[in-house]
Amino acid sequence: MESATQRRYGAVEAGGSKFVCAVGDQSGRILSEARFPTTDPASTLAAMIASLRRQQAECGPLTAIGLASFGPIELNPKSPQHGCILDTPKPGWSGADIKGALEREFAVPVVIDTDVNAAALAEHRWGAARDVPDLVYVTVGTGIGGGALVGGRPVHGLMHPEMGHLLPRRHALDANFRGVCPFHGDCLEGLASGPAILARSGCSLEALAADHPQWEIEADYLGQLCAQLVLVLSPRRIVLGGGVMTQLRLFPAIRPRMRHWLGGYVQRAELHAGIDDYLVAAGLGAQAGILGALALAIELAAAGA
Amino acid sequence: MESATQRRYGAVEAGGSKFVCAVGDQSGRILSEARFPTTDPASTLAAMIASLRRQQAECGPLTAIGLASFGPIELNPKSPQHGCILDTPKPGWSGADIKGALEREFAVPVVIDTDVNAAALAEHRWGAARDVPDLVYVTVGTGIGGGALVGGRPVHGLMHPEMGHLLPRRHALDANFRGVCPFHGDCLEGLASGPAILARSGCSLEALAADHPQWEIEADYLGQLCAQLVLVLSPRRIVLGGGVMTQLRLFPAIRPRMRHWLGGYVQRAELHAGIDDYLVAAGLGAQAGILGALALAIELAAAGA
């Protein structure tokens, strides 16, 4: 039998604006990769199948496939909709069965999770939370989404976390902005995502002077998010990624705001002297999603082996 | 060897105002029980030891002991403080090692968790969440605290959840109340605990007319809590217990407020047609804590068997 190190795994990151398909190995090395825009489901899934088929011919037969998908998705294995996209405003995609398409084509085990749960898994395996089985990964970009591992395993439950829609308290300098979330207006995504920053100040963070109030507002909302996460999930590390978080000067601004909102309640060295290792930037950058899909495939094969 | 059904388990519920010590069996039956007030650690732990020793003589030798404790407590097994009470405003109790005292006296395995994580375990084993391995248990009384199971196991992480201190948005009819939490003022515990109700309206909920605004304010804050829990932890059920929740008419008032704050975002039948089975009253009432301690002991023995 082949050894685990020789195995080839398929990985698909299904995003709202683009798909990434790759083949990788046990060590987290990506051997080949292709990306293409997300259009209608039929064309996009056909492109996905063709891409993975081509890569498989090049790299060798796949042992398993991991699928890291935009949400909401049905993760309950007992549901007849298991693996499908649930109601989504994205035209045509409600009910789409990306997982089923992969299973039918490749006849290998396929595992699906949210893009952010998968990214949490990749950050745990290869990135900024290697030693930490209890963590939250949050992406702050076009939207805000979070995934969580508890005891090394992704949190599902009723559906999966949707922590981008938590409701922060309004910053004093931000009383009049309505927010951009179509569901809630001024939830976290509505107040602190990339489009929210753009709507409030007419440009992205990096274009604003360091003393522009937008920086303080953004840090405060993300600090509230982190405080809420500490209180509910008690993670051992919080990893922040996504486009907005490439502005690394946000980190030293968020940390004291998180502590402010905790109000001295959770007395742990990790939140004080150790805070620079507690609230950290993603280690895998823009690769977290596709590496997350690879990590899902590796874990599935290991569980079945 | 004795069969599992003949085993006797010790259970200790260490509360801020009282201790309960009991001996029970595998089925969740309490065979004997004693309760006494919490005073200074030395006297209280001596009373605990004497009580359990007496009950053991009566019921038979203990296989294991479960300890459901007020917090904050150190749950990391690698910490030298494992099992101890952490910094607490309760005089004399910071650093108290209740678990160590039980281990030294009885020379059987002892397991500790928070009172609310233990209650979640008991509600899962014998109460209102029997079929549900992903749940949150919240007690609303003198304080507000929550425990959570993910995949049937209590959430620990950095410390343990402290969800009573989440920050709800202010209700329009409650703009001027300062809240009673010594750490945060107007966190959930500061706005919606029993003492908060008393401070705001001068009496407890049950003494107020059904159309008094206090009811609506309370339901709104607890609805916000439940919405935040759905977004972060995605539980399959939320169980509310504690003194305030004995006012059962709160439940039909909280459910629509939870949905209001979710803003239609999480589209699951459980939150709509099935909501009466999603957000439910505790099944074990005031026994949840001591039964939680018993459940901890049973699980520990099963894991070691």
Side-chain angles (χ1 to χ4, degrees):
Chain A
M1 198 191 136
E2 62 173 353
S3 79
T5 55
Q6 293 170 317
R7 285 183 185 156
R8 298 295 173 255
Y9 302 92
V12 175
E13 181 187 3
S17 58
K18 71 167 193 306
F19 267 55
V20 185
C21 295
V23 170
D25 70 11
Q26 191 83 12
S27 70
R29 199 159 47 112
I30 298 289
L31 304 169
S32 72
E33 187 181 291
R35 50 189 67 211
F36 44 88
T38 305
T39 57
D40 66 285
S43 322
T44 310
L45 298 193
M48 169 187 80
I49 297 288
S51 169
L52 265 192
R53 209 190 282 147
R54 211 159 42 231
Q55 294 183 52
Q56 178 174 243
E58 197 180 298
C59 300
L62 303 179
T63 299
I65 301 173
L67 169 57
S69 178
F70 71 92
I73 50 179
E74 177 57 83
L75 295 174
N76 180 356
K78 291 182 192 154
S79 164
Q81 286 204 286
H82 176 67
C84 295
I85 307 279
L86 296 170
D87 277 353
T88 169
K90 207 170 163 50
W93 283 88
S94 296
D97 185 9
I98 315 177
K99 177 170 183 273
L102 289 166
E103 283 167 337
R104 280 189 295 279
E105 177 64 26
F106 293 96
V108 298
V110 180
V111 56
I112 184 172
D113 212 318
T114 62
D115 43 10
V116 278
N117 268 346
L121 212 53
E123 290 287 345
H124 177 44
R125 190 173 265 264
W126 300 302
R130 279 187 223 196
D131 44 341
V132 182
D134 303 289
L135 73 122
V136 176
Y137 172 89
V138 178
T139 179
V140 186
T142 310
I144 298 182
L149 303 193
V150 170
R153 298 177 54 185
V155 172
H156 296 165
L158 179 65
M159 190 166 80
H160 44 72
E162 284 287 356
M163 49 188 90
H165 297 269
L166 285 170
L167 298 162
R169 288 188 179 174
R170 281 306 189 97
H171 190 279
L173 299 175
D174 193 39
N176 299 317
F177 179 56
R178 297 180 55 143
V180 301
C181 174
F183 291 92
H184 311 106
D186 65 350
C187 69
L188 189 74
E189 183 167 302
L191 292 173
S193 62
I197 295 167
L198 197 62
R200 188 189 288 110
S201 59
C203 61
S204 67
L205 266 186
E206 62 206 280
L208 295 168
D211 60 353
H212 191 286
Q214 179 79 47
W215 287 95
E216 181 188 331
I217 292 168
E218 183 72 11
D220 182 65
Y221 289 143
L222 296 176
Q224 287 192 55
L225 166 68
C226 294
Q228 307 277 65
L229 293 176
V230 168
L231 293 170
V232 176
L233 259 168
S234 189
R236 289 184 184 276
R237 191 162 298 158
I238 298 175
V239 179
L240 301 182
V244 170
M245 300 313 303
T246 60
Q247 300 302 311
L248 295 179
R249 78 163 88 136
L250 278 172
F251 285 88
I254 296 169
R255 292 181 187 118
R257 295 312 294 165
M258 172 177 82
R259 275 211 297 253
H260 166 81
W261 288 105
L262 286 171
Y265 193 67
V266 180
Q267 286 297 336
R268 301 297 292 202
E270 290 86 344
L271 302 180
H272 295 272
I275 197 165
D276 291 355
D277 297 319
Y278 184 79
L279 179 55
V280 301
L284 304 173
Q287 289 291 90
I290 191 66
L291 287 173
L294 178 58
L296 285 169
I298 293 170
E299 297 220 338
L300 178 66
Chain B
M1 197 190 136
E2 60 172 355
S3 79
T5 55
Q6 292 169 318
R7 285 183 185 155
R8 298 295 174 254
Y9 302 92
V12 175
E13 181 187 4
S17 58
K18 72 168 192 307
F19 267 55
V20 184
C21 295
V23 171
D25 70 11
Q26 191 83 12
S27 70
R29 200 160 45 113
I30 299 288
L31 305 169
S32 72
E33 187 181 292
R35 48 189 69 210
F36 45 88
T38 305
T39 58
D40 65 286
S43 323
T44 310
L45 298 192
M48 169 187 80
I49 297 289
S51 170
L52 265 191
R53 210 191 280 145
R54 210 160 43 230
Q55 294 183 55
Q56 178 174 241
E58 197 179 296
C59 301
L62 304 179
T63 299
I65 301 172
L67 168 57
S69 178
F70 70 92
I73 50 179
E74 177 58 82
L75 295 175
N76 180 358
K78 290 181 193 154
S79 163
Q81 285 204 288
H82 176 66
C84 295
I85 306 280
L86 295 169
D87 277 353
T88 169
K90 208 170 160 53
W93 283 88
S94 296
D97 185 9
I98 315 177
K99 177 170 183 275
L102 289 165
E103 283 167 337
R104 280 189 295 279
E105 176 65 26
F106 292 97
V108 297
V110 179
V111 55
I112 185 173
D113 212 319
T114 61
D115 42 11
V116 278
N117 268 347
L121 211 55
E123 290 287 345
H124 177 45
R125 191 174 263 263
W126 299 302
R130 278 187 224 197
D131 44 342
V132 182
D134 303 288
L135 73 123
V136 176
Y137 173 89
V138 178
T139 178
V140 186
T142 310
I144 298 182
L149 303 193
V150 169
R153 298 177 54 186
V155 172
H156 296 165
L158 179 66
M159 191 167 80
H160 44 71
E162 284 286 356
M163 49 188 90
H165 296 270
L166 286 169
L167 298 162
R169 289 187 178 174
R170 282 306 189 98
H171 191 279
L173 299 176
D174 194 37
N176 298 319
F177 178 55
R178 297 180 56 144
V180 301
C181 174
F183 290 91
H184 311 106
D186 65 350
C187 68
L188 189 74
E189 183 168 301
L191 292 173
S193 63
I197 295 168
L198 196 62
R200 189 190 287 109
S201 59
C203 61
S204 67
L205 267 185
E206 63 207 279
L208 296 167
D211 61 352
H212 192 285
Q214 179 79 49
W215 287 95
E216 182 188 330
I217 292 169
E218 183 73 10
D220 182 65
Y221 289 142
L222 296 177
Q224 286 192 56
L225 166 68
C226 293
Q228 306 279 66
L229 293 176
V230 168
L231 293 170
V232 176
L233 259 168
S234 188
R236 288 184 186 278
R237 191 162 297 158
I238 298 175
V239 179
L240 301 181
V244 171
M245 299 314 301
T246 60
Q247 299 303 308
L248 294 179
R249 78 163 88 139
L250 278 172
F251 285 88
I254 295 169
R255 292 182 186 117
R257 295 313 295 164
M258 172 176 82
R259 276 211 296 254
H260 165 81
W261 289 105
L262 286 171
Y265 195 67
V266 181
Q267 285 297 336
R268 301 298 292 201
E270 290 86 343
L271 303 180
H272 295 270
I275 197 166
D276 291 356
D277 297 320
Y278 184 80
L279 178 55
V280 302
L284 304 173
Q287 289 291 91
I290 191 67
L291 288 172
L294 177 58
L296 285 170
I298 294 170
E299 296 220 337
L300 178 66

